[in-house]
Amino acid sequence: MTERWGELDAAATLRPPGPGDDKYRRGVLGVRTGAAHYPGAAVLGVSAAWRTGVGMLRYVPPVDDAAPPFGLPTPAAAVLAARPETVLGPPTGRPCDAWLIGSGTDAATRSAAELRDLRALLAGDAPIVIDAGALDLVAAGDGRTAPVVLTPHAGEFERLWRSARLGALPDDWDAHGTDAGPRARAAARLAEALDATVLLKGSVTVCVSAEGWSRRIGPATPWLATAGTGDVLAGILGALVAGRAAELRDDPGLLGRLGATAALLHDLAARCASADAGADGSGRPIAAADVAAAIPPAFAELASQRR
Ligand SMILES: NC(=O)C1=CN([C@@H]2O[C@H](COP(=O)(O)OP(=O)(O)OC[C@H]3O[C@@H](n4cnc5c(N)ncnc54)[C@H](OP(=O)(O)O)[C@@H]3O)[C@@H](O)[C@H]2O)[C@@H](O)CC1
Ligand SMILES: Nc1ncnc2c1ncn2[C@@H]1O[C@H](COP(=O)(O)OP(=O)(O)O)[C@@H](O)[C@H]1O
């Protein structure tokens, strides 16, 4: 039985600001997401990270990306239009405390320069949230030094499983299943093989560390099953990791607890936005940007439960 990650557990991992904080001490998140065809994914992740309370966010546009089609703005222009507080360009001086990479990117169209930069992050020591089009960068024994948390949906999970050469998927694996047990067991095998924390998304999300710690979150409101909500989740997690990155050096298991908390906060925000408190599909439709907008009240609700 995979233990449930509850609101009190999640509340205990939040880091509200204190009087001794400044924007840097609250956590600096570096973000490399979005591409010419997916500027929206960058906007969603960046918006979600700001709304989760990151102190400073540096957006690094994709290097040598294709020109945007249909006269669309570049991802950087779209991010800045939506969130003018975002700082653009590679870090100068103070390094980022954590990174978010991959949402709205496609490994097949990634430039050599972008690949080189992403590999340099993996060879560093800042923790990295790895989503969507950057998941292919993680392999068993790849020599990476950065602690990483992977955020695959079931399709991406199956791809990772194959590339990790783990053989056939377990008999009880069901891409659309809501039974946490089989999902957590499969995720634990992948986490161990890749030496990574794995946040396997779905109606029921499981968060599993390479050491075998695992928790389940959900079922989430089914209104969450809509394009771009995974990009929002990745932004939430990036912000939570940036805020507590220093502690991760002494407490590597914190990455799993932050992953589980991100999934819970994401669902709470979606329940707030959709007025579906019971997560039974009552309430109203929402889109991913609505979930990002509802993070602050969901955060407040969770933080009020801190002991
Ligand atoms: N506004 C924007 O800019 C947005 C940009 N986005 C960006 O788009 C990029 C592509 O991401 P993607 O997830 O759409 O496509 P991909 O990785 O090819 O996988 C899809 C295949 O996997 C399978 N599958 C199985 N289970 C599944 C599950 N539970 N949930 C989902 N899929 C599941 C399923 O296969 P099937 O089961 O149908 O055989 C399906 O065909 C990525 O960078 C992302 O960040 C999006 O976030 C949207 C908003
Ligand atoms: N049936 C469902 N009920 C509740 N939440 C769901 C359901 N299906 C997917 N989700 C959630 O929606 C989000 C979708 O993320 P993802 O598949 O990465 O989409 P995208 O790439 O479009 O952002 C995840 O957080 C996942 O947990």
Side-chain angles (χ1 to χ4, degrees):
M1 176 81 177
T2 311
E3 235 179 278
R4 188 172 159 272
W5 187 248
E7 295 193 5
L8 292 179
D9 303 313
T13 71
L14 296 180
R15 182 192 177 285
D21 275 331
D22 59 34
K23 64 190 174 194
Y24 292 115
R25 295 181 73 161
R26 290 188 55 204
V28 181
L29 178 65
V31 179
R32 300 185 74 121
T33 58
H37 283 77
Y38 295 127
V43 171
L44 289 167
V46 165
S47 302
W50 278 120
R51 290 187 172 278
T52 306
V54 75
M56 161 80 109
L57 193 154
R58 189 174 275 285
Y59 178 74
V60 184
V63 186
D64 294 342
D65 197 16
F70 323 123
L72 286 173
T74 61
V79 162
L80 207 61
R83 301 301 324 190
E85 53 277 71
T86 304
V87 177
L88 289 184
T92 49
R94 196 187 185 290
C96 294
D97 296 304
W99 284 91
L100 161 60
I101 65 175
S103 315
T105 71
D106 182 350
T109 56
R110 183 169 54 209
S111 71
E114 181 72 8
L115 178 62
R116 184 198 57 216
D117 285 4
L118 295 177
R119 289 224 167 104
L121 293 183
L122 289 161
D125 55 13
I128 313 177
V129 177
I130 306 185
D131 189 32
L135 289 167
D136 69 301
L137 297 175
V138 177
D142 56 11
R144 96 190 85 93
T145 46
V148 299
V149 50
L150 316 182
T151 58
H153 59 55
E156 291 161 337
F157 182 88
E158 291 177 3
R159 261 178 259 156
L160 280 168
W161 184 277
R162 282 193 295 274
S163 68
R165 300 185 191 287
L166 286 167
L169 281 151
D171 287 343
D172 59 3
W173 167 257
D174 173 0
H176 300 283
T178 54
D179 186 351
R183 294 172 74 74
R185 282 192 293 278
R189 279 187 63 191
L190 186 71
E192 187 187 8
L194 297 180
D195 189 24
T197 298
V198 174
L199 183 70
L200 169 57
K201 298 177 292 192
S203 166
V204 172
T205 291
V206 293
C207 190
V208 178
S209 76
E211 291 72 35
W213 180 92
S214 73
R215 291 294 183 275
R216 69 185 156 87
I217 306 93
T221 168
W223 289 116
L224 253 183
T226 182
T229 54
D231 307 326
V232 170
L233 173 64
I236 293 175
L237 180 52
L240 294 181
V241 174
R244 298 197 61 187
E247 295 158 74
L248 273 165
R249 277 178 221 116
D250 299 324
D251 181 9
L254 179 57
L255 208 47
R257 304 200 296 281
L258 293 173
T261 296
L264 192 142
L265 178 56
H266 184 235
D267 177 32
L268 262 186
R271 289 183 198 211
C272 241
S274 64
D276 180 16
D280 56 9
S282 57
R284 58 195 176 217
I286 47 172
D290 303 323
V291 181
I295 295 167
F299 188 105
E301 189 184 323
L302 206 51
S304 71
Q305 299 180 50
R306 276 168 68 85
R307 292 211 173 110

